[in-house]
């Protein structure tokens, strides 16, 4: 158990809908990262938040957004969902995310999203 | 930009025999490199990481990897495979993104199959 929790574990929805995925980082970790794992694209970094502020952006679509709250939990919002958004979404956390890319990231169990 | 190539999508070995999972990277500077493991229906767990200290890195569960700058390789090895090692393994490099913040670049993964 990494100490990172994600809810829900599974989500089934329809095209055009909007969903929110939630992540609670390990106690004391300030950085949260979101990743998408799909069969055709593999693991892709989406976005990082550090202590409530956006720090780094990867291959995140404009239909997707995220935020980190004062209690450091984070939410990933996916809107206007398409079939291709079906994937496993991981959240990870690290102590501060400022160590020149050398920090260990601790991953949650993921949320499996199925868009029908 | 940096990239990671995992040379085998699947590796099959017999229980008790050595494991070799190959990874090559491209880098314009001294990178940080990681190996993560993903067991079926589980999250991602760090096996080991290289961050410019000793070139031979020991990880959990008897795995180790050697950083070879001249060959731009970071292959993962284990002397004797166990059935519990069956999983997918990801080689990862830390890279500076377009916004000058570090992000993880993931290889496509290697599925390790252990034959009894």
């Amino acid at each position: 158990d990494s100490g990172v929790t994600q809810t829900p574990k599974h989500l089934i929805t329809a095209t055009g809908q909007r969903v929110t995925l939630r992540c609670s980082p390990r106690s004391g970790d300030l950085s949260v990262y979101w990743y998408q794992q799909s069969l055709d694209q593999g693991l892709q970094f989406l976005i990082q938040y550090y202590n409530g502020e956006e720090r780094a952006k990867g291959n995140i679509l404009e239909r997707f957004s995220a935020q980190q709250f004062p209690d450091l939990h984070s939410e990933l919002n996916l809107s206007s969902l398409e079939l291709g958004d079906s994937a496993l979404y991981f959240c990870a956390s690290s102590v501060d995310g400022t160590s020149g890319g050398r920090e260990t990231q601790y991953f949650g169990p993921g949320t499996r999203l199925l868009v029908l | 930009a940096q990239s990671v190539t995992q040379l085998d999508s699947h590796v099959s070995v017999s229980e008790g025999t050595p494991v070799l999972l190959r990874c090559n990277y491209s880098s314009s500077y001294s990178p940080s490199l990681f190996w993560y493991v993903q067991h079926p229906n589980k999250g991602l767990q760090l096996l080991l990481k290289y961050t410019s200290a000793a070139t031979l890195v020991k990880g959990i569960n008897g795995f180790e990897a050697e950083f070879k700058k001249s060959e731009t390789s970071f292959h993962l090895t284990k002397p004797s495979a166990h059935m519990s090692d069956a999983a997918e393994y990801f080689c990862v490099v830390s890279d500076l993104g377009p916004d000058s913040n570090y992000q993880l670049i993931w290889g496509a993964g290697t599925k390790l199959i252990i034959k009894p």
Side-chain angles (χ1 to χ4, degrees):
Chain A
D1 183 1
S2 67
V4 178
T5 60
Q6 289 186 249
T7 56
K9 283 188 179 176
H10 298 91
L11 202 47
I12 302 175
T13 188
T15 54
Q17 295 298 305
R18 173 190 165 96
V19 298
T20 297
L21 312 183
R22 184 189 165 104
C23 168
S24 292
R26 293 188 322 155
S27 177
D29 283 359
L30 297 178
S31 264
V32 169
Y33 310 77
W34 286 99
Y35 292 87
Q36 180 193 59
Q37 185 179 32
S38 62
L39 283 173
D40 55 344
Q41 302 247 7
L43 256 155
Q44 303 261 332
F45 166 69
L46 296 178
I47 197 164
Q48 176 198 357
Y49 276 81
Y50 169 69
N51 205 21
E53 301 284 330
E54 182 183 307
R55 175 170 288 275
K57 222 168 187 175
N59 299 319
I60 189 165
L61 299 172
E62 284 192 13
R63 301 183 284 109
F64 296 0
S65 64
Q67 53 185 325
Q68 187 180 27
F69 295 87
D71 67 352
L72 301 177
H73 91 271
S74 177
E75 292 181 355
L76 178 68
N77 300 297
L78 314 176
S79 61
S80 303
L81 284 167
E82 301 174 0
L83 295 177
D85 297 328
S86 296
L88 194 50
Y89 291 84
F90 285 110
C91 165
S93 73
S94 69
V95 173
D96 64 21
T98 60
S99 304
R102 300 176 179 189
E103 273 195 333
T104 297
Q105 294 183 21
Y106 297 88
F107 283 77
T111 293
R112 190 172 292 280
L113 174 66
L114 181 59
V115 182
L116 299 176
Chain B
Q2 302 200 52
S3 65
V4 178
T5 303
Q6 290 185 244
L7 297 160
D8 306 292
S9 60
H10 293 79
V11 168
S12 180
V13 302
S14 297
E15 192 175 19
T17 64
V19 175
L20 170 64
L21 305 184
R22 299 182 294 164
C23 172
N24 286 105
Y25 67 92
S26 69
S27 171
S28 56
Y29 67 100
S30 184
S32 293
L33 292 156
F34 307 79
W35 276 98
Y36 278 85
V37 61
Q38 185 177 25
H39 285 92
N41 301 313
K42 296 276 174 98
L44 292 142
Q45 182 184 20
L46 180 72
L47 273 180
L48 50 82
K49 67 178 179 181
Y50 166 78
T51 58
S52 77
T55 57
L56 183 61
V57 182
K58 292 188 186 302
I60 61 171
N61 301 334
F63 283 94
E64 61 182 41
E66 187 171 7
F67 173 70
K68 291 187 177 179
K69 189 174 180 180
S70 60
E71 298 175 11
T72 60
S73 69
F74 191 57
H75 300 336
L76 182 70
T77 60
K78 182 172 179 177
S80 175
H82 295 153
M83 294 301 292
S84 60
D85 294 328
E88 189 157 20
Y89 292 79
F90 293 91
C91 183
V92 187
V93 65
S94 182
D95 183 24
L96 270 175
D99 53 5
S100 299
N101 286 301
Y102 284 92
Q103 55 183 267
L104 298 184
I105 307 299
W106 294 74
T110 298
K111 282 201 174 126
L112 178 61
I113 299 159
I114 312 295
K115 296 178 288 188

